[in-house]
Amino acid sequence: MVSPDNEKITAATTTELPSESSSQKANLFPWLEDEEQRGIPSKVRRRFPVLGALGLVGSGLTCLFSWATLYFFNGHKVIEGGYLPKPAAWLSIILSLNSILAHTAVSQGVAISWWYRASRRKATVEELHDVWATGSSIAAALTTWKAFNYIALATVFVGTLPINGILLQNAMTSGINYHQVNKTANFSIATSLPAGFSADLNVDGSVGTYNSLWQTVTPEIVGNMDGFYKTFDIMNSCKGDCSATVEAVGFQVEDVCPTYTIPYSLPTDTSSNSTVDSTIFSVDVTWNSSTPNTIGLNSLVKSSSDCAGVYTVANCTLQMAKVKRPWLDPVHRLSYYNPSEIVEVYPVVTETNNTVFGGIASALQSYYGSSIVMHPTTNGTTLKYNGLFAQQLPTGFIAGQTDQFGNAVPTPDRCNTSFTQFFGYGNPTDFMLTTMRETMFYASIYQAYQDQISIQTLDQTPDWISANEYRVLWKYWAGSVGVTLAIVLFILPTFYGFWTLARKTTLSPLETARAFHAPVLREAPKHLDTPGLLKELGKSNIHTDMMPDEAPAEK
């Protein structure tokens, strides 16, 4: 037969009492304490915590939801504006849901742990307070070291949910990706230039005034190797990313630029009393109205650092022609000139008042025509630079005296000056031929832009389309999963012992009053849960009905 005292203790537990054991034994997890001595009978009525279990399962499922979201958006084009929810919005929803579910689970777990402790014969007020405090506040869980156990551990891990958010948000990023598609592509490129395209002629046949349109576009075409076509290709269906061979204005190099050498012997000191200038570098672009479809290219360079040696001289004759060339050639340059495939050489047409190519040659000469001259003085020699292109060339010196930074110091006479690099090319001829070919190509694009009819259509053209796409960093998602599963794992022990309770319990004031054996709740049936108690006592006045023998205290 159960004594009145025992009946109080079992208010929220089974009808059979557990054996007496130390309820304050300091172990991290409840199954390490005294469960083996409790002798719980097999007929215990199970009170499964459905809401808490759903919270744990739901929290774990958010890992699956986040994976599905990342997998769906991975590789998709970045959403710009509009009303469609972006990945960050979906991930925020998942994170919020995970937080709600985890807090729901831990709150029910703490309630079960509190009542599981309260059901023990030797439970103390301090112990119950510690369970409530460590289960309600992460600060209390971290500072109450003597009472640190599985409840405090669950509270601490739930407090790491913001880390989960940081990891999951960092799992989604974006970047430019390229996809190849084969399609019918249009290229706005002229295969010939109209009469009078570039300039008018003077009476003596020399180049006079530039055509107004050519004058305007010259800065964009001459000396601009980095994408003129991107400005004037509005009629192209490929914006510089197609892999195709098109036809354009170009030239044929006759005899592959014959070269020869000229010996030189430069003064090595000021005692030579030399007064003669020595040209050590030069580039000239020439044109004559008697051969209007021909442009000349002449170069001289001192490529050795020796003060006695040979100059390398090249004289190129360029016949204007329709050529085939790769569309992407301006992007993928070689370190040497690679001749174009010739479709046809343009027939010669006499020019008297204006010219097609004369103005182009004149513009090239104005930009690239240069020379570097070694000029003797009483204090040694100096270098005189003529032309913009010459001023941009790097010079080299023989190994010898160096400055504090290890750079070679030239001699006062500069005879050891040499030129070996021309913007990635080994000689000025290859650089100039490539530059002049690009100038002709850009002129073809500009002419097509002007006439609006020069369209080349190519079938099955590989096009590399760039798109800003979402990318997933799966290692951050894995870290987020690890945090979530750790939270679920450390909440689980708080549900230990739920089967020993006679009803579903909470930490409402009404429930905790029952645990401390409030007189007004002594007669309440122990199997009634909080909703049942509220039906019986919910309308009672706490100052009169709950204290029938005493008047309410004055405030």
Side-chain angles (χ1 to χ4, degrees), residues 118-455:
S119 68
R120 299 182 176 189
R121 186 182 301 277
K122 291 188 177 182
T124 65
V125 173
E126 180 183 11
E127 181 183 12
L128 295 182
H129 171 77
D130 288 341
V131 172
W132 168 82
T134 56
S136 303
S137 168
I138 188 172
L142 292 173
T143 56
T144 313
W145 293 106
K146 292 182 179 180
F148 193 85
N149 54 19
Y150 64 99
I151 303 168
L153 197 60
T155 303
V156 170
F157 269 86
V158 171
T160 63
L161 277 171
I163 298 176
N164 188 16
I166 294 173
L167 291 171
L168 194 56
Q169 291 288 356
N170 283 338
M172 178 63 73
T173 183
S174 63
I176 300 298
N177 198 11
Y178 292 87
H179 300 278
Q180 180 179 335
V181 296
N182 294 326
K183 66 178 184 180
T184 299
N186 295 325
F187 299 89
S188 179
I189 306 172
T191 56
S192 63
L193 302 177
F197 172 80
S198 62
D200 294 333
L201 294 177
N202 296 323
V203 176
D204 61 357
S206 61
V207 176
T209 305
Y210 285 165
N211 179 295
S212 59
L213 293 177
W214 173 248
Q215 177 75 43
T216 302
V217 80
T218 296
E220 297 287 342
I221 291 181
V222 179
N224 180 9
M225 299 279 287
D226 296 320
F228 166 85
Y229 64 93
K230 295 180 180 178
T231 305
F232 287 90
D233 68 348
I234 59 175
M235 298 176 64
N236 293 334
S237 59
C238 286
K239 305 302 181 182
D241 295 322
C242 285
S243 177
T245 300
V246 296
E247 294 182 351
V249 177
F251 50 79
Q252 174 180 271
V253 182
E254 293 188 355
D255 298 327
V256 196
C257 288
T259 62
Y260 57 94
T261 60
I262 299 176
Y264 67 82
S265 180
L266 303 176
T268 59
D269 55 50
T270 58
S271 62
S272 63
N273 295 321
S274 174
T275 59
V276 179
D277 287 350
S278 301
T279 300
I280 58 178
F281 170 81
S282 68
V283 166
D284 287 295
V285 179
T286 62
W287 178 85
N288 193 292
S289 60
S290 62
T291 53
N293 288 359
T294 301
I295 294 178
L297 171 63
N298 306 309
S299 68
L300 178 148
V301 64
K302 177 181 180 290
S303 56
S304 171
S305 59
D306 296 332
C307 292
V310 294
Y311 296 120
T312 301
V313 180
N315 301 121
C316 304
T317 301
L318 314 181
Q319 293 292 337
M320 299 300 104
K322 181 195 297 184
V323 301
K324 290 185 177 181
R325 55 156 292 139
W327 172 249
L328 284 179
D329 191 57
V331 179
H332 301 286
R333 300 193 192 104
L334 302 173
S335 60
Y336 57 89
Y337 174 72
N338 186 31
S340 302
E341 180 182 347
I342 307 301
V343 178
E344 63 172 333
V345 176
Y346 295 129
V348 177
V349 178
T350 303
E351 296 179 339
T352 55
N353 298 320
N354 49 42
T355 177
V356 178
F357 298 106
I360 298 176
S362 176
L364 287 168
Q365 172 63 15
S366 297
Y367 192 87
Y368 291 104
S370 303
S371 66
I372 300 176
V373 177
M374 195 175 76
H375 176 67
T377 68
T378 57
N379 297 320
T381 57
T382 61
L383 299 181
K384 296 196 302 184
Y385 293 84
N386 302 306
L388 177 63
F389 179 51
Q391 298 175 25
Q392 300 174 7
L393 289 179
T395 59
F397 306 99
I398 60 173
Q401 183 181 1
T402 58
D403 60 19
Q404 60 178 328
F405 302 107
N407 300 318
V409 177
T411 64
D413 297 290
R414 301 298 180 96
C415 71
N416 61 342
T417 301
S418 62
F419 305 92
T420 58
Q421 289 296 322
F422 302 87
F423 304 101
Y425 294 83
N427 61 74
T429 302
D430 281 356
F431 170 76
M432 286 301 303
L433 288 174
T434 304
T435 299
M436 294 171 72
R437 177 168 58 187
E438 299 311 317
T439 298
M440 296 300 177
F441 178 58
Y442 293 161
S444 303
I445 295 175
Y446 177 70
Q447 176 56 33
Y449 172 75
Q450 291 296 323
D451 64 33
Q452 300 286 299
I453 59 174
S454 299
I455 304 295

Side-chain angles (χ1 to χ4, degrees), residues 24 34-35 43 88 90 112 122 132 197 217 243 249 266 292 349 394 406 417 434 443 457 472 476 489 534:
Q24 300 187 45
D34 55 356
E35 186 58 32
K43 63 180 182 179
W90 290 109
I112 292 174
K122 291 188 177 182
W132 168 82
F197 172 80
V217 80
S243 177
V249 177
L266 303 176
V349 178
T417 301
T434 304
T457 302
V472 176
Y476 288 104
L489 178 65
L534 287 175

Side-chain angles (χ1 to χ4, degrees), residues 480-497:
S480 171
V481 171
V483 172
T484 299
L485 295 183
I487 291 172
V488 171
L489 178 65
F490 285 101
I491 290 177
L492 274 173
T494 63
F495 292 90
Y496 187 86

